[in-house]
Amino acid sequence: MVVSIHSGYVPQQAKIVRTEQMTAAEKLFELQIPDGPLGHEPGQFVEVSILGVGEAPISVSSGPNRGPNFELIVRKAGSVTEAMHQLGAGAVMGIRGPYGHGFPMERLKGSDLLFIGGGIGLVPLRSAIHYALDHRSDYGRVVILYGTKNPNEILFRREIEEWKQRDDVEFFMTVDRGSPDWKGNVGVITTLIPPLDLNITNTTAIVCGPPIMYKFVIMALRSKRLEHDQIYVSLERHMKCGLGKCGHCQINHLYVCQDGPVFLYSDIQDVKEAL
Amino acid sequence: MKRRGLLSQKAPLFIRHLMNKGQVYGPVKNKTQMPEFAQVDEPSRVVLDYTTTVLPPKRLFQPPEETIYHFSRKDFTVEPAKVSGDGLKILVGLHNYDAEGIACLDYQMARGPADEGWAARRRNWVFVGVSYEPDQHHFSPSVGIGPDHRNGLDLFMDKADGGYNVELLTERGASLLDGFGGWSAPLPETPAPKFHNRLLPMPSDLPHILARSYEHPIWQQEAKRCFSCGSCTMVCPTCYCFDVFDELQLDMESGEKKRHWDSCQVAPFTEVAGGEIFRKETSSRVRHRIYRKFKYITDHYGRPFCIGCGRCIRACPAKISISEVMNNLARKAAG
Ligand SMILES: Cc1cc2nc3c(=O)[nH]c(=O)nc-3n(C[C@H](O)[C@H](O)[C@H](O)COP(=O)(O)OP(=O)(O)OC[C@H]3O[C@@H](n4cnc5c(N)ncnc54)[C@H](O)[C@@H]3O)c2cc1C
Ligand code: SF4
Ligand code: SF4
Ligand code: FES
């Protein structure tokens, strides 16, 4: 008798329905799987595989209520992500997952939501933003703060225009360094926090960005008197399996791929390797 | 407990008998000084009297490198790897600490999504233990694995005067003895082995010592000597981290997804796109390994995740010793 092993690593085929070059380095992929929808929670990720090249963990960027397909936004960072960028509509990539714990959208019902996305960190936040907008009456205010290095790196330009038009979304953005035709804010993302007029007791912050960003954003939120258990963060780590086994994603005793990537800040504030 | 005497010269016959019952694995003679766990083709090659092996028996259940699946890029077909589930497998000559090492990984591999490779390869085994003479590095009794420890074993060959006393520990083990006629009366016992290395704290104190030692200068001190070579993790029976990669055939169409053992002691282990390395300092990696053994998993496993085999100490080119580190922390905590 022979038994098959490692079925948990076997990807399913996802067909690329549409792509869109968002910036020089970032490309959107709309994907379709045979038994879609994917059934993900906002904030979860999938392992994308390009056979012969490798795998990469990528956040599902679209909300779960946006039809049978789902979207990934991929930044060119190395071999797998570059191979993904070579692919266009009609091509196939491998998908396994979704994995991890996402944002607890049920539990956040009734709360004002403050989204803080730095750079590509807006990509995972967008799935939760979609969710909140698709269940708009379940939530209080929806405030979105977005910062990028420069205007060329701004993602979701069309969608941002829609958010700005809506009177039930408050959207603010800034760039670290402006350009001659940039008319918006210049400065790091934390500069957007002090002017906010928040209902502190009923606000939950949801933060995702580059590693360096968290400390400063949390400090700024603390000055606003937000408590540690009112802040969710989504963390990125090196990941190889997504199954809590390979060890690459560990922060102290936690496995980010299984225990995260979304954590309540009060749960990890004493976990030394977290932020 | 039932015991039967087995004279040394009858041991190969006993192993031959086991080979008629199933596939036998054990510590077999190797080109190097130490025997290595492998399938036994000839009883005389089994070394029952050995200090330890370089690689732990874990390699039988999580090979250093294995195929996850075969794929073809052309039509996107993926065929999972297969292992043979046939027949009984018998591991002879297992030291009692190594049985505990396997138990540690049985626990960890079943947590969350279970590791199917481990589960499939762990089926149908009978473990035949053997006693051993510790060298200057073993400290198993300090983590609760003293000479009388028999957890996870089905039979045990206790070294005695002129041979072994074979202890029948489980039904499964006892049933393997059917048809073997080479027994003697139980042999005179030899004195219990003396251990030359030990941990000063009680096993239950180890996590508490680490809980207050995170910022201790010892991690920096040890890091000064550490080469980040990863040998300590490669030989550890309770380490299980791995890397996953694709291997493409020359036809550029077919290939395999594979995994092989990896080490948290090398810096790129935690590197992400953008260049951030989350455990960049050697000291943070040295600390991580030791916390994994005595704190992180211990906090839910309830026992040390180190079995005191001393392999990491023997393998370390910088002579970094996990027992010495723990003892220094214990002394400093006490003083
Ligand atoms: C939970 C999670 C969600 C993510 N979501 C997105 C997303 O939505 N969009 C996006 O563009 N990127 C995302 N990333 C980052 C993305 O996974 C990495 O950019 C990608 O794995 C790099 O792989 P590569 O083969 O292209 O690069 P490589 O050629 O492998 O290496 C380039 C660099 O990336 C590092 N790296 C390699 N493998 C990984 C890995 N598995 N995880 C993290 N870093 C790695 C390497 O150490 C090296 O520094 C996410 C990462 C995580 C952990
Ligand atoms: S074997 Fe020794 S030198 Fe090598 S990584 Fe381990 S502790 Fe460092
Ligand atoms: S940490 Fe060292 S002594 Fe402990 S089980 Fe691993 S190799 Fe053996
Ligand atoms: S990605 Fe392998 S353990 Fe988390």
Side-chain angles (χ1 to χ4, degrees):
Chain A
M1 184 195 57
V2 280
V3 287
S4 293
I5 54 171
H6 298 319
S7 61
Y9 288 87
V10 173
Q12 55 173 324
Q13 290 186 37
K15 198 170 132 200
I16 302 173
V17 180
R18 177 177 73 91
T19 68
E20 183 185 331
Q21 195 70 42
M22 303 213 102
T23 68
E26 279 111 4
K27 186 167 172 176
L28 175 147
F29 297 87
E30 182 182 334
L31 298 175
Q32 181 184 54
I33 50 174
D35 302 317
L38 183 63
H40 67 288
E41 310 168 6
Q44 284 191 305
F45 67 95
V46 289
E47 282 282 349
V48 175
S49 61
I50 303 295
L51 297 179
V53 185
E55 288 184 306
I58 303 291
S59 309
V60 183
S61 186
S62 49
N65 306 92
R66 299 277 166 120
N69 299 347
F70 60 97
E71 291 172 355
L72 307 179
I73 285 80
V74 178
R75 171 180 286 180
K76 234 192 252 186
S79 46
V80 176
T81 47
E82 261 162 38
M84 290 174 77
H85 272 243
Q86 308 279 314
L87 302 178
V92 165
M93 50 176 118
I95 293 283
R96 56 188 182 91
Y99 292 125
H101 281 85
F103 303 106
M105 300 311 290
E106 262 314 296
R107 207 179 322 146
L108 295 180
K109 274 187 180 168
S111 184
D112 290 355
L113 302 178
L114 170 60
F115 293 97
I116 305 178
I120 197 170
L122 186 61
V123 167
L125 293 190
R126 179 170 169 260
S127 61
I129 295 171
H130 281 178
Y131 190 96
L133 297 182
D134 294 345
H135 302 82
R136 189 64 192 86
S137 58
D138 287 345
Y139 300 93
R141 288 165 65 189
V142 171
V143 184
I144 304 170
L145 311 185
Y146 178 37
T148 65
K149 282 210 191 83
N150 59 61
N152 296 333
E153 292 189 3
I154 299 171
L155 298 166
F156 311 117
R157 285 172 184 273
R158 250 178 298 119
E159 208 163 339
I160 285 174
E161 281 315 310
E162 289 168 29
W163 294 343
K164 283 182 177 163
Q165 299 303 315
R166 289 177 73 134
D167 50 16
D168 58 357
V169 174
E170 298 158 66
F171 180 87
F172 305 96
M173 89 157 290
T174 180
V175 296
D176 293 354
R177 266 168 285 102
S179 61
D181 53 352
W182 174 251
K183 305 209 168 46
N185 297 317
V186 176
V188 293
I189 191 159
T190 41
T191 57
L192 296 177
I193 297 172
L196 293 174
D197 178 21
L198 301 173
N199 176 4
I200 291 310
T201 51
N202 193 38
T203 297
T204 304
I206 298 180
V207 186
C208 188
I212 178 89
M213 190 186 94
Y214 293 94
K215 242 181 264 167
F216 297 105
V217 165
I218 286 165
M219 257 155 55
L221 292 174
R222 290 292 291 149
S223 334
K224 281 278 183 196
R225 307 230 171 282
L226 232 65
E227 294 298 331
H228 292 163
D229 61 359
Q230 292 175 279
I231 305 172
Y232 285 89
V233 295
S234 178
L235 302 182
E236 184 191 346
R237 286 298 183 274
H238 193 131
M239 293 186 180
K240 283 296 179 188
C241 69
L243 302 167
K245 297 290 181 290
C246 75
H248 285 266
C249 69
Q250 258 195 312
I251 49 176
N252 300 104
H253 63 291
L254 296 169
Y255 284 94
V256 176
C257 67
Q258 291 276 317
D259 301 318
V262 173
F263 294 97
L264 185 59
Y265 178 60
S266 55
D267 288 343
I268 55 157
Q269 66 186 52
D270 297 325
V271 178
K272 313 258 190 196
E273 290 177 344
L275 297 181
Chain B
M1 184 220 338
K2 282 197 202 145
R3 291 194 316 170
R4 295 180 185 171
L6 180 70
L7 294 169
S8 291
Q9 62 266 34
K10 294 276 173 70
L13 274 180
F14 177 55
I15 291 169
R16 173 72 67 197
H17 167 82
L18 294 177
M19 288 170 73
N20 294 327
K21 301 273 175 179
Q23 280 173 40
V24 173
Y25 293 74
V28 298
K29 276 203 193 87
N30 198 281
K31 283 174 225 84
T32 63
Q33 276 180 321
M34 291 179 181
E36 288 304 332
F37 287 103
Q39 189 166 358
V40 175
D41 51 6
E42 167 54 47
S44 65
R45 289 189 61 220
V46 176
V47 186
L48 287 172
D49 191 3
Y50 69 102
T51 307
T52 193
T53 55
V54 175
L55 293 184
K58 151 185 102 174
R59 64 184 305 188
L60 302 173
F61 316 114
Q62 194 202 63
E65 181 168 308
E66 67 175 295
T67 300
I68 294 174
Y69 57 71
H70 304 265
F71 62 78
S72 162
R73 276 149 60 100
K74 195 156 56 208
D75 45 2
F76 206 98
T77 49
V78 172
E79 188 59 45
K82 293 182 170 61
V83 295
S84 160
D86 272 347
L88 187 71
K89 283 159 284 182
I90 306 163
L91 182 50
V92 294
L94 196 62
H95 289 172
N96 59 359
Y97 54 81
D98 271 338
E100 278 297 347
I102 295 167
C104 284
L105 288 190
D106 283 345
Y107 169 78
Q108 190 62 10
M109 290 296 111
R111 284 189 88 223
D115 191 86
E116 292 173 36
W118 183 272
R121 292 191 180 92
R122 272 289 281 123
R123 284 217 299 260
N124 283 334
W125 283 88
V126 175
F127 289 166
V128 183
V130 71
S131 53
Y132 65 98
E133 201 56 51
D135 68 1
Q136 71 268 36
H137 300 306
H138 286 99
F139 59 93
S140 306
S142 306
V143 288
I145 311 172
D148 298 332
H149 195 88
R150 299 287 184 268
N151 229 17
L153 297 168
D154 299 290
L155 294 168
F156 191 77
M157 303 172 70
D158 193 17
K159 190 98 179 86
D161 201 7
Y164 302 90
N165 287 319
V166 178
E167 303 170 359
L168 285 57
L169 302 168
T170 65
E171 287 290 322
R172 225 158 42 128
S175 70
L176 278 189
L177 305 184
D178 292 347
F180 182 66
W183 303 119
S184 324
L187 301 169
E189 289 178 22
T190 48
K194 277 208 173 52
F195 283 80
H196 315 287
N197 189 13
R198 70 186 187 104
L199 298 182
L200 300 172
M202 298 290 293
S204 56
D205 287 336
L206 298 165
H208 302 293
I209 290 170
L210 289 184
R212 55 178 182 257
S213 303
Y214 199 81
E215 311 289 354
H216 200 284
I218 199 163
W219 310 119
Q220 309 263 353
Q221 288 157 17
E222 298 295 314
K224 278 190 206 134
R225 289 190 285 157
C226 177
F227 300 110
S228 301
C229 66
S231 303
C232 48
T233 51
M234 288 298 116
V235 299
C236 180
T238 70
C239 278
Y240 53 86
C241 292
F242 55 83
D243 192 15
V244 178
F245 60 100
D246 287 34
E247 211 170 76
L248 207 51
Q249 297 297 309
L250 285 174
D251 64 7
M252 300 300 275
E253 285 293 349
S254 56
E256 286 171 51
K257 169 115 23 223
K258 291 184 159 180
R259 69 182 194 186
H260 65 186
W261 293 354
D262 203 351
S263 174
C264 63
Q265 297 303 294
V266 301
F269 190 80
T270 58
E271 183 174 354
V272 294
E276 182 89 13
I277 300 177
F278 290 96
R279 251 173 257 114
K280 194 173 181 132
E281 305 300 328
T282 308
S283 57
S284 64
R285 302 195 295 274
V286 170
R287 177 176 59 201
H288 186 67
R289 176 171 75 94
I290 293 179
Y291 273 64
R292 287 191 52 122
K293 301 304 163 196
F294 293 121
K295 175 134 184 70
Y296 298 152
I297 306 180
T298 304
D299 283 343
H300 48 84
Y301 188 51
R303 274 176 279 162
F305 216 65
C306 161
I307 57 168
C309 67
R311 284 186 176 94
C312 57
I313 313 173
R314 290 180 204 97
C316 180
K319 298 204 164 25
I320 290 173
S321 158
I322 191 165
S323 51
E324 197 182 296
V325 168
M326 290 311 293
N327 288 343
N328 282 337
L329 288 173
R331 274 193 212 100
K332 280 167 189 158

